[in-house]
Amino acid sequence: MREFSRTDRVGEQLAHELAQLIQREVKDPRLGMVTVTSADVSRDLGYADVHVTLMGENDPERIRENLAVLKRASGFLRSRVARTMKLRHVPELRFHFDESVSRGHALSSLIERAVQSDRDRAPEEDDEDSERRD
C-alpha cells in the first residue's frame, strides 16, 4: 500500500482548514456557499491549487465573482492558515472552480434519461414479441 506523500498530507489538511476558514471568517456578502473539494500542493510547497464548488451556482458570471472574492481574500486566508498549520512556508493559494460535480450531475441525469427511455420502450417491444408469437 502506498504511503501518502507529504504534499498529499499538506493538501488534505490545507483543504480542511480552508473549508472552515472560508465558512467562518470570510464575511464578503458576494461570496456564496463555497465548498472546498481539494487542494493540490506543489512539491516545493510554493503554491496550492484549491478547487472549490458553489452550491446551486452554475452561472459563469457568479462563478467568476466568487473566485475573485476568494482571490482577494487569499492573503488573509493564507495568514490564518499559517497560524494553525505548522509549516515553515504556507503555499500561495490559487482558487479554481471544480467542474467535476456539475459534470457528474449532468452525466447522472443523462444516464437516468437513457434508462427511463429503455423502460418506456420495453413494454412496446414486449407487445410486438407476443404478437409475432401468436
Side-chain angles (χ1 to χ4, degrees), residues 2-133:
R2 181 179 169 269
E3 293 288 323
F4 282 111
S5 69
R6 181 166 190 252
T7 56
D8 291 341
R9 291 191 311 269
V10 169
E12 190 174 307
Q13 185 179 2
L14 183 63
H16 179 74
E17 294 293 332
L18 284 172
Q20 290 181 345
L21 285 171
I22 290 170
Q23 184 180 26
R24 295 179 184 160
E25 302 289 331
V26 179
K27 303 293 186 198
D28 195 313
R30 295 171 295 174
L31 191 64
M33 293 292 294
V34 175
T35 304
V36 177
T37 55
S38 66
D40 299 325
V41 180
S42 66
R43 291 183 69 188
D44 66 351
L45 301 179
Y47 64 89
D49 290 317
V50 181
H51 302 278
V52 297
T53 60
L54 302 169
M55 301 298 280
E57 294 288 340
N58 289 327
D59 179 34
E61 184 58 35
R62 284 285 297 144
I63 291 168
R64 277 193 294 277
E65 182 180 17
N66 277 271
L67 290 176
V69 168
L70 289 172
K71 183 177 181 179
R72 273 188 237 107
S74 65
F76 167 75
L77 291 169
R78 191 173 174 200
S79 67
R80 295 299 297 230
V81 166
R83 294 179 189 175
T84 58
M85 291 178 67
K86 304 296 183 209
L87 293 173
R88 187 173 292 170
H89 175 74
V90 176
E92 175 188 338
L93 304 175
R94 302 188 306 192
F95 292 96
H96 306 279
F97 181 67
D98 187 0
E99 296 178 356
S100 64
V101 175
S102 59
R103 273 195 221 130
H105 287 297
L107 286 174
S108 180
S109 68
L110 283 174
I111 291 169
E112 287 175 17
R113 278 190 270 163
V115 168
Q116 187 61 42
S117 173
D118 286 349
R119 285 185 189 145
D120 292 345
R121 220 176 301 147
E124 294 170 5
E125 292 172 1
D126 290 341
D127 291 342
E128 291 174 8
D129 290 341
S130 65
E131 288 176 7
R132 288 184 193 146
R133 283 185 234 140

